[in-house]
Amino acid sequence: MSVGLILGIESSCDETAAAVVERGARTLSSVVASQIATHARYGGVVPELASREHLRAIVPVVRAALAQANVTLGDLDAIAVTSGPGLAGALLVGITYAKALAFASGLPLIAVNHLEGHIHAVLLNDRSLPGSLGDGQGLPEDEAALALVVSGGHTHLYLAKPADGCWSYTLVGRTLDDAAGEAYDKVAKLLGFGYPGGPWIDALALHGNPRAVPFAFSQIKTKLHLAGKAPRTKAARTAPIANLDSRFLFSFSGIKTAVLRYVELHNLRPEAEARREALFTGPDAPARPTIEAALATCDPQTLDLIASFQHAVVGDLMKKTFAAAESLGARRILVTGGVAANRELRQRFTVEGVARGLRIAFPTLALSTDNAAMIAAAAWPRLLVRDFADGSLSADPSLALGNARG
Ligand code: KG4
Ligand code: ZN
């Protein structure tokens, strides 16, 4: 093996990304072309538009990643690409281009699960720290980490175990309906903010009272909820059906409805519509609305609602993640995915980790949301064991990660 340079390509949702990473640890370049401007006015990702934008961006993004890393295809050891889960048409753009590059250059192709990529975003960061668990070396085989992948498409808990430099994953919890990021996006849309909603709520929550509205999460009864069938939601389809411990299950559709009720009851809709027009859709809307501009459109009641929503969501994520870590004997917690960029979440998880003597690790902020450095990092252990994809590689929109705990 030469230097261990991998080109990662990611196109599973609404970011076209490419990166060059050395030995799963050193990021030489990470280029992300966001489609936020395309989807913002629709309040969510429009799959057909996403594929079209990926087609436009993929070649310049990959070229930029190689140029910024100061390498050519000939310097690389492998090409890694996200094969799922995600939007079928979007995934196919990255896969087709990665295959063409691999074929033309004779380089091996490595298929990466997007969720494993998110976990490796933490490991990539962590490899540079003392006591690193990134390469799985020096850790006893039974020293597992608990990983919370919390994004727009997922809220999943995995037990991750190092095994011979690779990692194995066991699903221990998940959402039964919406992902946490989806709840952020829906609540933001309801209140007249743009897509993605997380960053707006994150910033505005600082200005409200988190205890003003007492949102509550009730205990989930698995059997009742599932009635023996697989839940039919985007998030849940990516995980196998299993008898997961109901203490580690999430549900975010209830709080979304509770926010909707609050908005109706307090007649906040006209204000939200006015905000949407002033900041995003109206003829005088700014090209890039700022947090200050958004803040000026919010009365104290809306800010309290936003702060209370976030406080409740973060509280629920914490409660179940720490309960799972403790119950499964994991001494380390990895929190990753777009929602892991959230300030309150980082702060409260860190404080709780100190209190309980558990080590909490996050990706850098830039690697919390979708990127390709995490895909190249996840491919590194696979390159070492020569786990390569062949020409038949195709998109798997509901690709699951690991096994479920039975
Ligand atoms: O990981 P990601 O980029 O894409 C998916 O794989 O879904 O996550 C995007 C999600 C969106 O729902 C977005 O609203 C949320 O992450 N998000 C945040 C923050 N930044 C992004 N949620 C809360 N606070 C943030 N700062
Ligand atoms: Zn993601």
Side-chain angles (χ1 to χ4, degrees), residues 13-15 114 118 150-154 181-182 184-185 195-199 202 310 337-339 341-343 368-370:
C13 191
D14 59 344
E15 329 272 2
H114 181 80
H118 273 302
V150 60
S151 70
H154 302 91
E182 213 173 339
Y184 265 92
D185 294 337
Y195 174 85
D202 183 349
Q310 173 161 292
V339 183
N342 188 270
R343 274 169 275 191
S368 294
T369 48
D370 288 350

Side-chain angles (χ1 to χ4, degrees), residues 167-182:
W167 289 79
S168 69
Y169 308 92
T170 307
L171 180 82
V172 293
R174 68 159 185 227
T175 179
L176 293 171
D177 41 55
D178 292 349
E182 213 173 339

Side-chain angles (χ1 to χ4, degrees), residues 122-358:
V122 189
L123 301 178
L124 198 167
N125 192 26
D126 206 72
R127 281 181 181 116
S128 58
L129 305 173
S132 159
L133 46 69
D135 52 11
Q137 309 291 329
L139 269 184
E141 291 275 300
D142 59 353
E143 172 135 14
L146 188 78
L148 169 65
V149 183
V150 60
S151 70
H154 302 91
T155 303
H156 285 18
L157 281 172
Y158 295 96
L159 197 62
K161 281 194 182 175
D164 302 327
C166 278
W167 289 79
S168 69
Y169 308 92
T170 307
L171 180 82
V172 293
R174 68 159 185 227
T175 179
L176 293 171
D177 41 55
D178 292 349
E182 213 173 339
Y184 265 92
D185 294 337
K186 287 177 178 169
V187 164
K189 186 177 179 184
L190 178 70
L191 294 174
F193 296 102
Y195 174 85
W200 293 106
I201 292 188
D202 183 349
L204 294 168
L206 298 172
H207 302 273
N209 173 4
R211 292 174 211 283
V213 189
F215 291 118
F217 284 86
S218 51
Q219 176 62 47
I220 292 169
K221 311 233 181 354
T222 344
K223 297 283 175 325
L224 232 171
H225 211 292
L226 295 176
K229 293 202 194 90
R232 291 173 172 276
T233 65
K234 192 172 71 177
R237 271 204 308 270
T238 60
I241 317 150
N243 288 330
L244 298 172
D245 188 326
S246 62
R247 286 176 302 157
F248 314 144
L249 295 176
F250 300 92
S251 168
F252 293 103
S253 65
I255 191 161
K256 181 189 69 191
T257 313
V259 172
L260 175 65
R261 270 203 220 104
Y262 187 94
V263 165
E264 301 290 353
L265 195 67
H266 296 85
N267 200 24
L268 298 176
R269 241 186 222 282
E271 181 189 308
E273 287 310 324
R275 176 180 303 118
R276 188 188 324 282
E277 203 177 320
L279 292 177
F280 300 98
T281 57
D284 301 324
R288 282 173 179 271
T290 60
I291 295 295
E292 290 69 32
L295 191 57
T297 69
C298 295
D299 62 17
Q301 199 171 30
T302 301
L303 292 171
D304 285 352
L305 173 63
I306 289 172
S308 302
F309 162 78
Q310 173 161 292
H311 187 77
V313 169
V314 172
D316 188 61
L317 290 169
M318 276 183 35
K319 183 176 140 199
K320 291 168 183 169
T321 304
F322 279 95
E326 241 149 54
S327 151
L328 300 166
R331 307 294 312 145
R332 298 167 190 246
I333 294 177
L334 319 179
V335 191
T336 187
V339 183
N342 188 270
R343 274 169 275 191
E344 180 176 338
L345 180 146
R346 285 183 177 236
Q347 199 244 343
R348 289 175 64 194
F349 266 83
T350 305
V351 169
E352 189 71 16
V354 171
R356 299 204 196 200
L358 299 178

Side-chain angles (χ1 to χ4, degrees), residues 73-157:
L73 279 180
D75 299 319
L76 299 174
D77 295 292
I79 295 172
V81 65
T82 306
S83 60
L87 301 168
L91 286 164
L92 269 177
V93 176
I95 293 173
T96 310
Y97 190 54
K99 271 198 212 174
L101 280 180
F103 183 73
S105 61
L107 288 167
L109 182 66
I110 301 174
V112 174
N113 183 310
H114 181 80
L115 299 168
E116 184 174 22
H118 273 302
I119 293 173
H120 277 262
V122 189
L123 301 178
L124 198 167
N125 192 26
D126 206 72
R127 281 181 181 116
S128 58
L129 305 173
S132 159
L133 46 69
D135 52 11
Q137 309 291 329
L139 269 184
E141 291 275 300
D142 59 353
E143 172 135 14
L146 188 78
L148 169 65
V149 183
V150 60
S151 70
H154 302 91
T155 303
H156 285 18
L157 281 172

